[in-house]
Each structure stands twice: as C-alpha cells, then as structure tokens.
Amino acid sequence: MAFDRKSLGCKLIAPSLVVIAVVFFALLFLIKSITVRVHDDYVRFTLASANGEVRKVLTTAANDLTAALLAGNEEVTEAKQKSVMETLRLLWSGTSHGGVVIDSSGVVLCTTLPLPVTRAVAAQAAEGYRAIKIGGDEVAVFGQRFPMWGWDVVTVSKARNTWLQDGKVAMLTPLVATGCLVMVFGIFLVLKKNLQRPVESMVAAVSSSRRVEPTGVTEFDIVGNVVNDAFQRLTEQTETLRQELAERTRIQEELRAKDERIHNLLDCTEEGIFGVDPDGVCTFCNRSCLQLLGYQQEEDLLGKRIHNLIHPSGGDGDEVPSEECPVCNTFRTGVGAHLPAEVLWRADGTALETELWAHPVVDNGGICGAVVTFIDVTQRKLLEDQLIQAQKMESIGRLAGGIAHDFNNLLTPIMGYCELLRLDLPENTLVQERCGNMLKAAGGEKELVQQLLSFSRKQVLEMKVVDLNQAVGNFQSILRRTIRESIDLKMSLAEGSYPVRADKNQIEQVVMNLVVNAQDAISEHGVVTIETAPVLLDDEYARLHKDVIPGRYLMLAVADDGCGMDQETRQRVFEPFFTTKGIGKGTGLGLATVYGIVRQHGGNIWVYSEPGKGTVFKCYFPLAEGTAVTERADAGGKVSLEGARRTILLVEDNEMVRLLVAELLTQAGFEMLIAGDPKEALKLSEGRRVDLLVTDVVLPHMSGPQLHRKLLQHDAALKVLYMSGYTSNAIVHQGVLDEGTHYIAKPFALNEFARKVAEVLAVSS
C-alpha cells in the first residue's frame, strides 16, 4: 500500500506511530528522572558515610594534636600530620571515593585523584556538599575545614552522574523499548490484516481495470461495489469514445495525408503559388513562391497581408493600393485576373518581373479567398530577346549569303580578265597602273564579300588544331603596327598550351577587328588588353545564355578603357551595317564578322560595357583534343601549269566564270571539256579519260559532289577541285571543309587558281 500524505496508511499508521513515539519518549524521560534522583541520593549517602569516617579520623587527630601542642613537641606534631594524611589516603582508597588535602595557602598536601581532577577540586574547594564541573562531567564533593592545622579536606565521589550507571535501574529502558516495539508490531499486524490488504486488493483491481472482489470488510465491500458500477459505466463510455476517437483519427490522418500530397505537388512546381483569405491574409504558399520572392520559410508570409509585402507596382512604378490591386479584387468580386507583365517585390526590395494569374476560391456558394499563381519571366524575356536577335541575324545572314554568291561570280571574271589584261600589257605603263587600281578595288570588294560570308557563317573554314595563345602572340607585332602609338597594347595570355580547332586566319581576323574596334572607342590615350584563360561554362551559365553548351572553353577577351556603350547600342552591336562611327568611317561589318566567325567555330561571344567604363568582348572557343599543328610557310611566286596530254572537265553554270577558267586552262595546254550543267558534263565525259574535274559546288539539277560521285562510277581515281562563291552543306559541315577535299573560293587570283590546280594534279599523279 502506498504511503503519501493523503493515503489511508499515512492517516492511520503515521498518527499511531507518533503516539507510540510520544509515550516511549515520555517513559524514557520518567525513567531518567527517577534514575537521576536515586543516583543523587546514593551519592549523597555514600559521601555522608565517607565524610563521617573522615570526621572521626580528624577528631582523633585533633585530640592527639592538642596533647602534642601542650607538650610542645613539634616532631610529634609533624608525625601526626603524616599519620593523618596516610590514614585519609587509606580511607579513601578503601571506598569508591577519593580526596584532596589542601593547606591554608592552597598547596595540595595529599591527593588520591589524578592531577587535573586534583587541580579542579583545589580551585573550587569549599565546606559542605556540592557538585562541581570537571571537564565535561559533573562530580559530587563534600568539603570540611580542619582549623587546627588550617587544612581543607575534600572528599570526591568517583561514581559518574549518569542515569545509565546503575545497571538495575538501566534495565528498565530496554524493557520499555521492547514493550513499545511489541505494541507497534501488534498494531501493524492488525492494520495489515484489516486495512492494508483490503486496500491493496482494491487498488490492484482498480489499477488493472478488474472488478473489485469482496474483502470481508463491510465498509470496503460497499466501496468496492460502487467502484465496480463506476467501472462498468466508464468501460462503456470509454469504448464509445475510443470508437469516436479512432474514426476522428482516421479522418484526420486522411486529411493530413491529402494535405501533404497537395503540398508536395505544389512544392514540385516551378510556379510560385500562394493563397489568401477574404482579408488578404496569406493562408499557404509553396516552395517556389518563397524562393522567387526571396523568403526563407513559410512563417515569413503565413498570417500576413501579402499585398503589403509584395506591393505590386503599376506601370509608373508607384505602389498600387489594395483597392485597385487585381489580386485583391479577385476575392472581393470573384472575377479572376491574368496579368502578363506584373512586377512583384522580393524580400530584399528588388523587383521581380512575373506573369500572374489569380483565381477566386468558392465554398458553399461564397467566395472564401483566392489562389495566385505566378512565374518569373525574367529569363524568358532574356531568351526571347536573344531569339529575336538570333533570328534577325539568321535572316540577314541568308540574304548576305545569297548576295555574296552572285557577287563573287561577278568579281571572278572581273579580277581574272584584269589579270590577263595586265599580262598582255607592257610593264610600267599607265594602263598597267589602271589595271592595278582595278584589281585593288576588286580586292576591296572581295574583302567586303568575305565579311558578309563571315557574318552569315557561309565561308569555308580550313579547321586545324592550333595553339590559340601562340597564334595571338605571333600576331602581336602586326597589331602593334595597326593601332596608333597613343594606345598601350597589353597581353595577358594563359600559361600553358590550350589547343582549339580553328581556322588560324579567321582567328586573326577576329582579334584584328576587336582590337581596331577597341582603338576606335578610345579618343586619345588608353589601354587595349588581350587576355586568354581556360574557363568552365556550367549548366547554370548555359541556362542563362542561349545556344551555349556546357563544357571547357578557352576565353579570348579584348578589353578597352574607352567610352563604352549604352544598353541600346549593346543590343545592336553585332548587327551588320550598324555603326556608331561617322559617315564614311566604317562599314558596320567588323563586329558582325567577328560574331559570325566565333559562332561558326562553335563558340560564343558576349559583350560587357557601360558608358564611360569601357568595353570587354569575351569569345569562348571549345577546347580540343590533340596537339597543335605547325603552319607551313607559303612559297609564293608565280606558278606555271603544264597541261600537255591532260584533260580537264570544267563544269560552271556562270558563263563569264566558265569562259575565264577555260581560257586560263587552255593557255596552260590542257584539253578542255566545258559544260554549263551536270547533265551536259556527263554526256561530254562518256567514253573519255578525264584527269581532273573542276566544278562549281552549286549547280542546277545536281550539286558538284553529286556529279563527282557519278563520274567515280566510271573512273575511281578521278580527282576534283571545287570552286564556289558560297557553299551549302555539300562539301562542308558546320562551315568546316570536309577532310581531303580540294576547294578554292571565288573570286580567286589566277596564280592562286593555278597553284591549286597544280596541287591537285600533283596529288593525283
């Protein structure tokens, strides 16, 4: 049975123990009092007896002393004194007492006590019975004076003043204690049988939810019956509550699981979603909403008026009152809203461009709030701008490619016949000089067409693995002679070798155009810096920049500290024929050409500029595997062709070009088969041995490569030299010339054409 302040055992047994303890200590006090009184009387009695003996000794000594004094015998007196002291010592030693003899000056003459006790008794000597303190004990003494000699004789009781000293009386204490214990044990047995066991039985039954069995005690049985009835009713009510609780728990679990699924689905969306009640207070939000708005946890938005946090702005940038907010009007009027361009404010105060939808939430026929969905359109707008720019550049590129094709076909006979004319004229004549000027002008037109092809990514690249650092470094001297002396040219090239697949001549053109453009942006003195560095463009960079493939690149940057560009100029900087220079100071094709070359190399170019802070153009070229090749020097000089006993099949749909090439090859001694289209060429070559096929790439009915494949069916060793003012994907892929293909671009110089023919024939022989 448990014992606490309110338990039955505590209320019955504890008071009983208190009463027994009080009786026990009262008896002990009474026994002690009686024992002390008896002990005191005993001590007084023994001291009185001892004192009577001492008195007899002193009385006898007094009679003898008187006789000795009358006789005037001092020796007898001294001997008597010693005899008296010896007698007292023997007297005290034969009893349970002790004594001290002290003369009139306080000197101890005789003692049977320890020295400390002797000193204490001597210091407190007086006549009569008294108790003195010696150390921590109280000692009974009896003193008397012997005036004859001036002695103080003190008898001291050796019995300790303690109530347990007397064994017969002390036996009462354990007897009383034993009686009390027996009484307590008896009470305990009675209470255990008639109180503790029934109570414990009832408590155990109640604790284990069992019926309370009869105890044999009427009062307890009545209580047990009441408890059993209460248990029965409680069991029935508990079962009912258990079933209701189980059903409620099941419903709550289903709702919780459904809410969790909905919340997880909302968190998986890229769109920001939040809900508001009719007061505009946020009731829920998903993870994307927190991320887009720059908040860390849901508590930052839940329970707050969302309009006051994101405060959407109007077209003029001013804050829109909640009465005019389309989102707030949704849960007021029940009419949804779609805002294609809405600005929300993040937690850090920055603006977020979004497309937003608001839908009312209806419950039981009434509007209970609204759900708002929004997406970040910043990246989409950026990509749309990039797409528009790319489409614009692609459209212009197609136009430029078509113009370049026809223009090159016109330039080829102009330059060719002009060269033939110079060959027929005497040197150092005015006509020679005029022909030279014509060729110079045609060369300028050729360069302009080449820029158009570079911009439109239609020129043919002879790709090789080159060390870009070496190519740029070797080009430094030419750059230094090109730009004016007031501009400091600095190089910051990455250490080591970083090979890229590139057309070295085109890379040099990129660097030249960027450096010249940087020079033009500097009014007087300034610095142009060329830098290379290996970089890793990750997925995040590729996501934010159109057409970028993640990977390892070599960055080529050209920076200046010139006037810089504003946003409008930056957006148009790569457009062909767009220039900020004055009339007659630029064609507007320099940066467009750079853009085309970089893109055709599989790279990307980006510009960073601010007015007054200079400009940086960064070109990224994919790193290549392999070792950079060493360029062979051009031997130069005039090339002579020996065409005796060799036949060339010439296929060209442009009459002027066809006549020029035929005349050149005929003069070299070749036997010519001349055709204006592939069908005619097939007829002319039937049954004939042909040493070389010279053909345009783009022809009616079939392309030059298709014609070559047909001719290979009859002559597997037939070599071919392609010529074109602009190529499709017939002999190039991604603008790169197929390996082993011989090609010459229109317009070409006669010596260049002769060298190419000689090269092809040398390979075939």
Side-chain angles (χ1 to χ4, degrees):
M1 183 171 60
F3 282 84
D4 55 40
R5 295 181 61 183
K6 296 183 179 180
S7 66
L8 184 61
C10 181
K11 292 186 177 293
L12 292 179
I13 296 177
S16 300
L17 292 177
V18 171
V19 171
I20 292 172
V22 170
V23 172
F24 175 74
F25 286 109
L27 289 175
L28 288 180
F29 180 75
L30 180 61
I31 292 172
K32 177 182 178 183
S33 299
I34 294 173
T35 303
V36 170
R37 176 61 63 85
V38 171
H39 181 269
D40 287 345
D41 291 344
Y42 171 75
V43 171
R44 286 178 182 274
F45 174 75
T46 57
L47 280 177
S49 299
N51 187 57
E53 296 297 327
V54 171
R55 187 178 295 111
K56 289 179 183 180
V57 173
L58 293 178
T59 301
T60 302
N63 293 332
D64 294 339
L65 183 60
T66 301
L69 290 174
L70 291 176
N73 191 346
E74 294 181 357
E75 294 180 356
V76 174
T77 301
E78 183 178 355
K80 190 62 178 176
Q81 289 177 348
K82 292 181 178 180
S83 176
V84 169
M85 287 187 289
E86 187 65 26
T87 301
L88 291 176
R89 184 181 288 110
L90 293 174
L91 175 65
W92 287 331
S93 300
T95 64
S96 60
H97 298 82
V100 179
V101 179
I102 309 167
D103 64 8
S104 58
S105 61
V107 177
V108 176
L109 300 177
C110 177
T111 181
T112 62
L113 301 172
L115 183 59
V117 178
T118 300
R119 290 176 179 175
V121 172
Q124 303 179 55
E127 287 189 289
Y129 176 81
R130 60 182 302 189
I132 65 175
K133 293 284 186 179
I134 299 177
D137 297 328
E138 191 175 70
V139 179
V141 300
F142 189 90
Q144 56 185 346
R145 180 173 290 277
F146 184 53
M148 184 69 67
W149 288 332
W151 289 358
D152 287 322
V153 181
V154 181
T155 302
V156 180
S157 175
K158 290 185 178 180
R160 295 182 64 187
N161 188 10
T162 171
W163 67 288
L164 294 176
Q165 187 68 29
D166 192 339
K168 294 180 179 180
V169 178
M171 288 180 62
L172 293 175
T173 300
L175 291 176
V176 172
T178 303
C180 290
L181 291 175
V182 171
M183 182 174 59
V184 169
F185 185 70
I187 294 174
F188 175 75
L189 291 178
V190 172
L191 291 177
K192 184 176 182 64
K193 178 180 179 181
N194 299 303
L195 179 63
Q196 182 180 2
R197 288 179 180 174
V199 171
E200 286 181 347
S201 176
M202 295 179 65
V203 170
V206 172
S207 299
S208 59
S209 301
R210 295 184 284 104
R211 288 182 56 83
V212 178
E213 301 297 333
T215 62
V217 181
T218 303
E219 289 79 2
F220 286 155
D221 289 344
I222 293 173
V223 174
N225 292 333
V226 174
V227 171
N228 289 336
D229 293 341
F231 261 133
Q232 182 64 28
R233 293 192 299 271
L234 181 62
T235 302
E236 295 174 355
Q237 294 176 357
T238 301
E239 181 62 22
T240 302
L241 290 175
R242 188 191 65 79
Q243 294 176 357
E244 293 179 356
L245 181 60
E247 181 64 17
R248 181 173 299 179
T249 302
R250 184 186 64 81
I251 295 174
Q252 289 179 347
E253 187 66 22
E254 290 180 356
L255 291 176
R256 186 196 63 79
K258 185 180 294 184
D259 289 343
E260 185 175 352
R261 286 196 300 271
I262 294 175
H263 200 277
N264 289 336
L265 289 174
L266 293 178
D267 282 343
C268 291
T269 63
E270 293 291 336
E271 297 83 1
I273 303 175
F274 65 86
V276 293
D277 62 13
D279 295 326
V281 175
C282 181
T283 56
F284 75 88
C285 60
N286 68 343
R287 186 183 297 114
S288 295
C289 175
L290 296 174
Q291 293 175 349
L292 290 173
L293 295 178
Y295 291 95
Q296 299 297 323
Q297 53 190 357
E298 293 182 357
E299 288 72 15
D300 296 335
L301 294 178
L302 297 182
K304 300 178 181 179
R305 292 185 180 273
I306 193 84
H307 177 80
N308 297 336
L309 294 178
I310 63 177
H311 48 273
S313 63
D316 54 359
D318 295 334
E319 183 177 342
V320 176
S322 61
E323 294 79 9
E324 301 177 9
C325 177
V327 175
C328 297
N329 288 334
T330 298
F331 58 75
R332 291 195 188 103
T333 63
V335 179
H338 175 215
L339 305 177
E342 181 70 0
V343 176
L344 304 181
W345 296 97
R346 295 188 179 95
D348 58 2
T350 58
L352 173 66
E353 296 183 2
T354 67
E355 184 175 0
L356 182 146
W357 296 264
H359 303 280
V361 178
V362 180
D363 187 17
N364 294 328
I367 300 174
C368 60
V371 174
V372 178
T373 303
F374 63 93
I375 59 175
D376 183 2
V377 299
T378 305
Q379 181 182 354
R380 187 178 73 186
K381 290 184 64 177
L382 177 62
L383 293 178
E384 287 176 352
D385 292 342
Q386 293 179 0
L387 178 60
I388 292 173
Q389 180 72 7
Q391 290 174 342
K392 184 190 301 183
M393 303 286 277
E394 185 67 22
S395 299
I396 299 176
R398 291 195 188 98
L399 176 62
I403 295 175
H405 175 265
D406 295 335
F407 207 73
N408 280 331
N409 279 332
L410 294 175
L411 278 178
T412 300
I414 292 176
M415 296 179 63
Y417 281 117
C418 189
E419 285 192 66
L420 290 176
L421 183 61
R422 292 186 67 184
L423 293 175
D424 295 336
L425 292 175
E427 296 182 0
N428 301 324
T429 63
L430 181 59
V431 179
Q432 275 276 1
E433 183 179 351
R434 289 173 179 173
C435 287
N437 291 334
M438 290 171 61
L439 286 173
K440 185 177 180 181
E445 295 301 321
K446 175 183 177 181
E447 182 179 349
L448 179 60
V449 173
Q450 189 64 31
Q451 287 181 332
L452 287 173
L453 289 175
S454 297
F455 156 70
S456 60
R457 287 173 276 170
K458 302 299 182 180
Q459 85 278 25
V460 177
L461 300 180
E462 295 189 29
M463 303 290 278
K464 298 177 183 178
V465 178
V466 299
D467 186 342
L468 196 61
N469 282 345
Q470 183 180 1
V472 174
N474 294 340
F475 199 54
Q476 182 178 4
S477 59
I478 299 176
L479 293 175
R480 182 65 272 175
R481 292 193 300 269
T482 301
I483 61 177
R484 60 180 184 267
E485 296 181 356
S486 61
I487 294 179
D488 186 11
L489 181 63
K490 293 185 177 181
M491 291 281 189
S492 178
L493 304 182
E495 296 182 0
S497 177
Y498 295 96
V500 298
R501 282 190 57 82
D503 186 320
K504 179 174 174 292
N505 295 329
Q506 297 296 323
I507 296 298
E508 291 176 350
Q509 184 176 353
V510 167
V511 176
M512 177 64 76
N513 286 355
L514 290 178
V515 170
V516 170
N517 196 70
Q519 172 191 245
D520 295 340
I522 300 173
S523 58
E524 295 180 0
H525 298 277
V527 178
V528 175
T529 303
I530 301 176
E531 177 185 2
T532 61
V535 296
L536 175 64
L537 302 184
D538 56 14
D539 294 335
E540 180 64 18
Y541 184 90
R543 187 177 66 85
L544 298 177
H545 296 79
K546 184 179 179 296
D547 295 333
V548 173
I549 300 175
R552 297 175 63 246
Y553 289 78
L554 183 66
M555 180 199 69
L556 170 65
V558 177
D560 66 72
D561 56 359
C563 59
M565 295 180 285
D566 55 22
Q567 182 177 359
E568 182 180 358
T569 304
R570 289 198 305 271
Q571 291 177 345
R572 302 186 60 191
V573 70
F574 295 121
E575 290 184 11
F577 308 112
F578 172 77
T579 179
T580 58
K581 304 172 185 177
I583 298 176
K585 295 185 178 181
T587 62
L589 286 175
L591 293 178
T593 301
V594 169
Y595 177 87
I597 294 174
V598 173
R599 294 294 293 143
Q600 196 170 5
H601 278 75
N604 300 277
I605 181 170
W606 305 101
V607 58
Y608 306 86
S609 181
E610 291 185 32
K613 296 185 178 180
T615 302
V616 179
F617 285 91
K618 292 185 177 181
C619 307
Y620 298 94
F621 296 97
L623 290 177
E625 300 293 337
T627 306
V629 299
T630 304
E631 292 288 336
R632 291 181 300 174
D634 190 358
K638 185 176 180 180
V639 179
S640 61
L641 286 175
E642 180 59 44
R645 297 184 300 279
R646 291 186 178 182
T647 302
I648 293 180
L649 174 59
L650 172 63
V651 186
E652 170 62 59
D653 61 334
N654 186 281
E655 182 181 3
M656 296 299 297
V657 176
R658 186 170 64 248
L659 293 177
L660 172 66
V661 174
E663 182 177 350
L664 175 62
L665 294 176
T666 300
Q667 290 181 358
F670 290 98
E671 182 180 352
M672 298 299 300
L673 301 177
I674 303 172
D677 58 68
K679 290 182 179 181
E680 184 181 358
L682 291 174
K683 291 180 181 180
L684 290 175
S685 62
E686 286 182 3
R688 301 287 300 273
R689 180 183 178 279
V690 178
D691 295 285
L692 176 64
L693 170 65
V694 179
T695 178
D696 196 354
V697 175
V698 181
L699 294 169
H701 310 303
M702 68 178 67
S703 66
Q706 290 174 334
L707 173 62
H708 182 230
R709 284 193 292 271
K710 280 187 172 293
L711 292 174
L712 286 175
Q713 296 174 3
H714 304 287
D715 185 0
L718 178 63
K719 299 298 181 180
V720 61
L721 172 61
Y722 295 108
M723 56 183 181
S724 179
Y726 128 92
T727 67
S728 60
N729 290 332
I731 61 172
V732 297
H733 293 89
Q734 305 295 330
V736 180
L737 190 66
D738 292 341
E739 187 175 357
T741 301
H742 300 286
Y743 168 82
I744 187 169
K746 299 176 185 178
F748 45 75
L750 297 183
N751 198 53
E752 179 186 359
F753 179 77
R755 181 180 295 109
K756 201 69 178 177
V757 171
E759 177 183 337
V760 177
L761 290 174
V763 172
S764 61
S765 60

